[in-house]
Amino acid sequence: MNFKLKIWRQPNQKTAGEFHDYAASNIPAEASFLEMLDIVNEGLAEGNEDPIAFDSDCREGICGMCSLVINGIPHGPGKAKTTCQLYMRRFQDGDTIWIEPFRAAPFPVVKDLVVDRSAFDRIIESGGYITARTGSAPEANSVPIGKPIADLAMEAAACIGCGACVAACPNSSAMLFVGAKVSHLGLLPQGQPERKSRAHNMVRAMDELGFGNCTNHYECEAVCPAEINRTFISRLNREYRKAAVREAVAVTVDE
Amino acid sequence: MNTQLDSKVPAGALEEKWTKHRAESKLVNPNNKRKFDIIVVGSGLAGASAAASLAEMGYGVKCFCFQDSPRRAHSIAAQGGINAAKNYQNDGDSVYRLFYDTIKGGDFRSREANVYRLAEVSANIIDQCVAQGVPFAREYGGLLANRSFGGAQVSRTFYARGQTGQQLLLGAYQALAQQIAVGGVKMFPRTELLDIVIVDGHAKGIVVRDLLSGEISSHAGDTVVLATGGYGNVFYLSTNARGCNVSATYRAYKRGAFFANPCYTQIHPTCIPVGGTYQSKLTLMSESLRNDGRVWVPKNKGDNRPPSQIPDSDRDYYLERKYPSFGNLAPRDIASRSAKEVCDEGRGVGPGGLGVYLDFAEAIGRLGEKTIRERYGNLFDIYHNITGEDAYHLPMRIYPAVHYTMGGLWVDYNLMSNVPGLHVLGEANFSDHGANRLGASALMQGLADGYFVIPSTIANYLATQLGKKVSVDRPEFNATENEVRKTVAKLLSIKGKRTATSFHRELGLLLWEKCGMARSRESLQEALQKIPSLREEFWQNLNLQGGDMELNQSLEQAGRVADFLEFAELMCLDALEREESCGGHFRVEYQTKEGEAVRDDADFCHVAAWQCTGTDSKPVRNVEPLVFENVKLATRSYK
């Protein structure tokens, strides 16, 4: 298969970028999208041109490292998959394909298609955990958790932290990402002691890092490779409201 | 001259060794813990759990990873589960049984005391993870669920859908994040280790490259903990993430750490078959699928009928036929080799004949599609996405692929290498899996090492280091940095024609053919002859674009391939000198008439720990005899 590629090139964070044209020739239909880019990069290197920088690692859809906007859609066409799980047989021979980095103020472009998503780490550091000192845990079966709750927590926990939700949102909101973590931990009995401070701190961190608000477009849910459900955003709103009210009336101790 | 290796395994009964060792280990008092800086390299299950736990204890920790976030380490890709001797299923499991299964699965080539300790702390791991909020699968009554896995006859595997590694890693990552927030850990993402700094014979620091700015800098610490994973990517195609590499452990080897059993590599039986040369990685289909899938090929060569038209009488369910008691749950090495055998006989299926069927028709008939979807839905989706085929109605095609490496840096019972101050955890060390790892045991080992072993044993070293702090002003740091800079400059100055990928692919293919599922004296000698010339060509004809003071992914890759090109030789040499078949190491000269592996316990019941003597001279093969006080060496049988 042959494709015309329009690829965003940007030497570094401080220099403006622009689209460049490339041809991808003789690409096997069985190749993945990133393997297509590998082939293009091999060709560039052979012609003594700087290869296109893009992030990827596991190439099986779980690590969350790959991050392209393909024809305007984070992770490209198709539901519930990362860029690395996109295969060229999905495209028509001769297609023109636009390839850009994730675009969001909290995710600055580092080079070409590589962005800095460390803001997500800062959000988790603000409260996306259960404090459980190593060695102090009780017997695992001492706290039963009903299967429906455990399953729902797992659905929320499936988030791979890729940031497509932010890239797809017109407001660059991280509500789906935060909603997933607040729900995962808040649904479980182990997560109760820190439940309110967690929701509060994570939302505050999200605001401070420059992520926008949710205005119910749900583009996030549409592109999410892990199929995180938008109802986790509603759950986050409820959790946050409770936490905010407590702050307003100056309740400082969880009970 | 050969070096005596002291495993420091404590004396006493097997069941009491770990308890006794902890009671007798040195301690560092809380005021002094603050004074110690620990460098942790790698943020997978072993690295993240160690960094978080050590910081909780009060040590100062610096943690480094090459990914953009510690949450992306390759542990995240583990699908199937984690073993623990909880005996929740009341099916006769025990610490001893998990220990014995692991020793036997490893074909009696691992250290008894380490494996027993692993089995012992396995139950604590599950407690710890549940407390962190890891959403393991549960029964309707709310208690934890289990499933069975290859190489075991009990159900002791805990799982979170097909994403157990992800959930365990996120648990460790969140614990790490909490410690980053309170200042216990300073995290350095997108930072790659390029060398280890040795001061007066002790590991006291590292030289790293900031992958964004290209800046090379040094970090000093009181001890260095490597948790940098395995070297499966030496084969180019493997189930490992693209970034996985041998560089950290290999550079440590060149600085004096012994590399143990590099020939022990695991070929996983259930991966999606190779499609073509463009392919960048192989995708694993969790071994848990073998609980319900039946493996078969056509009985007759050249039977090209679609699988649905091949009647049962014309099918060979070869694992069930050859190993009636374990059947489709035979250990990984056996299942892989059996697949290779039937394909070598010309009975393989799919393009190129390099595939066997993994068929769910019977299980779907017995349990219904809904149950199968609940158990393995995401795996079936992955398979469909990659191959375009629907495994609910058509058997999967699978083939073995490189998956895990049991070899690694030699460590003693404290997880310290022969270089004082250099600790090695997880897949990066050699200690627990012998010549073959059982399914769902990698996650167990990574977390055992990080949460429970190193926090107890690291003080045995640190307590001897009070008042011996070194800083990056020591000349050893500058000297090591200069060597690293020279290597980077050399790579960029070659300006040749072939990319690092092209060299890597050629190396990988050579190893897969000559040092893969089956090895022979001839094939290994051939590889040992070819690798040096490929390496020479690399250093003369490498095409590397871009500069050093920027994000340069080609430079990162070239550095890793350069190390693979040296390490490959060590792997083949180890395979050549281990004149027996054991676990994942199958030498065609040493097999029974039926094609089963033949161990040589008289001559090879030992760990081979290789000592570097310089780039161009043959390394020295040191030996640690394996002493079995509790287990009787037996021929592994899964019939």
Side-chain angles (χ1 to χ4, degrees):
Chain A
M1 298 176 88
N2 298 304
F3 304 99
K4 296 184 201 76
L5 307 178
K6 307 264 188 193
I7 301 182
W8 185 262
R9 301 300 306 260
Q10 183 173 337
N12 52 56
Q13 202 170 323
K14 295 185 183 84
T15 317
E18 58 186 7
F19 283 101
H20 285 230
D21 290 349
Y22 298 94
S25 313
N26 298 319
I27 306 295
E30 301 80 32
S32 73
F33 197 85
L34 295 181
E35 285 164 353
M36 182 274 292
L37 286 180
D38 291 340
I39 295 171
V40 171
N41 270 345
E42 287 289 290
L44 288 178
E46 280 160 20
N48 292 322
E49 279 186 65
D50 206 7
I52 302 146
F54 63 90
D55 268 331
S56 81
D57 202 27
C58 79
R59 297 211 174 184
E60 52 186 276
I62 192 76
C63 78
M65 188 117 172
C66 59
S67 61
L68 305 180
V69 175
I70 299 159
N71 289 340
I73 306 168
H75 292 312
K79 270 192 76 69
K81 64 167 71 76
T82 54
T83 296
C84 68
Q85 293 301 295
L86 178 62
Y87 283 78
M88 296 317 291
R89 60 171 171 269
R90 187 176 269 279
F91 295 90
Q92 301 290 320
D93 196 23
D95 273 359
T96 297
I97 305 173
W98 293 77
I99 308 170
E100 304 166 69
F102 279 3
R103 307 257 189 213
F107 293 166
V109 173
V110 169
K111 183 182 179 182
D112 296 341
L113 304 170
V114 176
V115 296
D116 176 1
R117 286 165 290 182
S118 51
F120 266 13
D121 291 318
R122 301 293 90 74
I123 293 179
I124 297 295
E125 286 157 21
S126 74
Y129 49 76
I130 290 171
T131 304
R133 174 180 290 274
T134 304
S136 57
E139 213 298 318
N141 258 346
S142 60
V143 183
I145 303 172
K147 191 173 184 319
I149 291 292
D151 287 350
L152 190 60
M154 178 62 220
E155 273 179 38
C159 166
I160 63 171
C162 64
C165 47
V166 175
C169 176
N171 309 329
S172 300
S173 172
M175 285 289 275
L176 193 64
F177 173 75
V178 176
K181 190 46 67 189
V182 163
S183 302
H184 158 211
L185 301 176
L187 279 162
L188 299 171
Q190 292 86 342
Q192 297 312 307
E194 293 162 302
R195 181 172 167 182
K196 296 189 179 92
S197 57
R198 179 183 306 117
H200 184 265
N201 294 341
M202 289 182 79
V203 170
R204 287 293 155 90
M206 178 176 77
D207 290 345
E208 279 162 21
L209 288 158
F211 293 96
N213 292 318
C214 173
T215 46
N216 306 321
H217 291 267
Y218 303 133
E219 295 292 334
C220 51
E221 185 188 46
V223 300
C224 178
E227 299 186 286
I228 303 296
N229 196 288
R230 66 193 186 202
T231 54
F232 293 125
I233 295 180
S234 326
R235 193 175 281 275
L236 171 62
N237 281 326
R238 287 200 297 277
E239 299 275 334
Y240 180 69
R241 265 199 303 276
K242 280 188 228 160
V245 166
R246 288 163 48 80
E247 191 194 34
V249 298
V251 178
T252 51
V253 181
D254 277 329
E255 73 277 339
Chain B
M1 216 196 74
N2 280 23
T3 311
Q4 281 292 322
L5 289 166
D6 180 4
S7 67
K8 301 212 172 72
V9 169
L14 186 62
E15 303 77 22
E16 289 159 17
K17 284 182 197 288
W18 178 230
T19 310
K20 192 160 158 273
H21 187 67
R22 274 187 301 164
E24 291 169 359
S25 282
K26 295 188 172 118
L27 295 173
V28 174
N29 88 50
N31 291 327
N32 283 333
K33 282 199 183 103
R34 279 200 295 277
K35 296 177 189 155
F36 284 119
D37 295 307
I38 299 175
I39 289 173
V40 177
V41 188
S43 66
L45 286 183
S49 60
S53 303
L54 293 167
E56 280 169 11
M57 293 164 73
Y59 293 112
V61 177
K62 284 182 176 180
C63 183
F64 298 80
C65 72
F66 68 77
Q67 297 89 345
D68 71 332
S69 161
R71 68 178 291 152
R72 310 219 194 275
H74 187 57
S75 306
I76 205 155
Q79 297 167 352
I82 176 166
N83 287 329
K86 284 283 198 187
N87 194 30
Y88 284 163
Q89 302 302 316
N90 200 25
D91 56 1
D93 199 10
S94 63
V95 168
Y96 186 85
R97 204 181 281 277
L98 174 54
F99 154 75
Y100 185 78
D101 285 351
T102 308
I103 287 273
K104 179 185 170 194
D107 216 354
F108 305 94
R109 288 294 175 265
S110 37
R111 205 188 269 153
E112 263 191 351
N114 286 55
V115 178
Y116 194 86
R117 173 175 66 189
L118 175 67
E120 217 176 329
V121 303
S122 67
N124 304 103
I125 296 172
I126 302 304
D127 299 342
Q128 182 64 31
C129 295
V130 166
Q132 291 170 342
V134 169
F136 284 120
R138 287 177 183 268
E139 312 284 357
Y140 280 97
L143 302 177
L144 289 154
N146 293 112
R147 61 182 169 206
S148 53
F149 236 72
Q153 287 173 313
V154 294
S155 288
R156 62 161 75 99
T157 304
F158 294 78
Y159 62 101
R161 294 211 292 223
Q163 293 150 254
T164 317
Q166 180 202 26
Q167 292 310 314
L168 296 176
L169 183 62
L170 292 182
Y173 158 74
Q174 287 163 199
L176 178 63
Q178 194 235 9
Q179 285 303 313
I180 293 170
V182 299
V185 178
K186 184 156 169 41
M187 186 72 215
F188 297 81
R190 289 209 199 260
T191 306
E192 180 161 35
L193 180 146
L194 293 184
D195 216 334
I196 315 266
V197 182
I198 308 288
V199 178
D200 300 334
H202 290 236
K204 288 294 177 191
I206 59 174
V207 173
V208 297
R209 182 169 177 269
D210 179 324
L211 299 182
L212 295 183
S213 68
E215 195 192 329
I216 288 168
S217 64
S218 291
H219 294 265
D222 294 285
T223 179
V224 175
V225 177
L226 293 185
T228 52
Y231 49 85
N233 273 351
V234 69
F235 290 90
Y236 184 66
L237 282 183
S238 81
T239 64
N240 287 186
R242 293 278 282 174
C244 293
N245 64 77
V246 77
S247 290
T249 47
Y250 191 71
R251 304 274 166 117
Y253 161 75
K254 288 181 84 172
R255 294 282 171 200
F258 294 173
F259 212 112
N261 303 330
C263 78
Y264 290 165
T265 53
Q266 179 167 81
I267 316 282
H268 196 289
T270 52
C271 300
I272 300 178
V274 177
T277 52
Y278 60 87
Q279 202 148 355
S280 60
K281 83 154 273 161
L282 296 172
T283 303
L284 175 79
M285 290 282 98
S286 168
E287 173 163 358
S288 61
L289 290 168
R290 291 199 278 145
N291 274 313
D292 288 305
R294 296 180 72 196
V295 179
W296 64 277
V297 289
K299 254 188 193 150
N300 304 311
K301 237 163 98 164
D303 187 341
N304 292 328
R305 287 177 287 177
S308 59
Q309 287 172 27
I310 301 179
D312 241 23
S313 55
D314 286 344
R315 297 177 178 192
D316 179 13
Y317 294 92
Y318 57 87
L319 286 177
E320 295 171 30
R321 170 172 57 81
K322 286 161 64 179
Y323 308 100
S325 67
F326 278 70
N328 295 299
L329 289 176
R332 291 178 171 177
D333 53 336
I334 288 176
S336 292
R337 217 157 44 241
S338 302
K340 179 179 166 17
E341 274 165 29
V342 295
C343 292
D344 287 349
E345 289 165 18
R347 297 193 286 144
V349 299
L354 290 177
V356 300
Y357 289 127
L358 180 62
D359 198 333
F360 293 87
E362 192 261 347
I364 289 172
R366 176 164 44 89
L367 303 161
E369 195 177 309
K370 185 167 171 280
T371 306
I372 295 300
R373 198 176 288 274
E374 251 174 35
R375 283 185 192 170
Y376 313 109
N378 70 319
L379 299 171
F380 279 52
D381 290 346
I382 292 172
Y383 183 79
H384 177 254
N385 186 46
I386 293 175
T387 62
E389 290 173 11
D390 172 10
Y392 292 104
H393 298 106
L394 207 64
M396 279 184 185
R397 286 176 297 110
I398 53 163
Y399 198 66
V402 176
H403 179 56
Y404 186 89
T405 52
M406 285 73 68
L409 292 180
W410 184 89
V411 288
D412 63 17
Y413 192 69
N414 290 319
L415 300 184
M416 189 163 85
S417 75
N418 59 300
V419 173
L422 183 67
H423 294 86
V424 193
L425 318 184
E427 190 178 355
N429 76 29
F430 87 105
S431 70
D432 293 359
H433 305 296
N436 174 55
R437 177 176 67 73
L438 290 183
S441 285
L443 303 182
M444 172 172 68
Q445 188 220 339
L447 291 180
D449 287 1
Y451 283 135
F452 297 109
V453 181
I454 197 71
S456 296
T457 61
I458 203 163
N460 285 321
Y461 174 74
L462 288 175
T464 67
Q465 297 300 303
L466 272 170
K468 295 185 184 169
K469 194 171 269 307
V470 304
S471 82
V472 293
D473 298 334
R474 287 282 299 237
E476 291 86 349
F477 283 87
N478 198 21
T480 312
E481 264 190 44
N482 282 340
E483 283 180 48
V484 166
R485 284 178 212 281
K486 240 187 258 172
T487 307
V488 170
K490 197 169 155 198
L491 286 167
L492 284 161
S493 69
I494 302 167
K495 307 273 180 219
K497 298 266 182 259
R498 282 183 73 180
T499 60
T501 306
S502 147
F503 285 104
H504 195 180
R505 196 183 280 132
E506 184 176 337
L507 175 70
L509 201 60
L510 178 73
L511 293 175
W512 179 243
E513 281 168 6
K514 309 295 176 194
C515 191
M517 267 186 283
R519 300 145 176 198
S520 69
R521 174 179 300 281
E522 290 72 35
S523 73
L524 292 165
Q525 280 169 341
E526 193 187 329
L528 284 168
Q529 207 190 348
K530 285 182 172 164
I531 295 165
S533 49
L534 187 64
R535 188 167 63 229
E536 199 173 311
E537 194 198 336
F538 174 88
W539 285 104
Q540 283 168 7
N541 195 25
L542 173 71
N543 172 343
L544 174 53
Q545 303 297 317
D548 60 337
M549 296 309 283
E550 58 174 331
L551 172 64
N552 185 343
Q553 295 170 324
S554 311
L555 174 62
E556 295 163 28
Q557 191 196 4
R560 294 167 191 164
V561 173
D563 288 329
F564 279 137
L565 281 164
E566 290 186 20
F567 172 75
E569 210 174 328
L570 186 66
M571 188 170 87
C572 292
L573 188 61
D574 186 42
L576 181 68
E577 300 218 352
R578 185 166 283 279
E579 294 176 324
E580 64 165 348
S581 295
C582 58
H585 171 65
F586 189 76
R587 282 281 300 267
V588 296
E589 299 95 331
Y590 309 103
Q591 56 178 316
T592 63
K593 277 202 293 285
E594 295 82 36
E596 303 293 340
V598 174
R599 279 198 331 258
D600 178 353
D601 291 334
D603 294 321
F604 288 96
C605 191
H606 60 237
V607 177
W610 293 90
Q611 178 179 1
C612 183
T613 55
T615 312
D616 297 316
S617 67
K618 197 184 165 200
V620 174
R621 187 177 191 270
N622 297 298
V623 159
E624 180 203 333
L626 289 169
V627 185
F628 290 90
E629 292 169 345
N630 300 275
V631 163
K632 205 168 141 276
L633 270 71
T635 300
R636 220 165 45 133
S637 170
Y638 290 92
K639 295 209 170 190

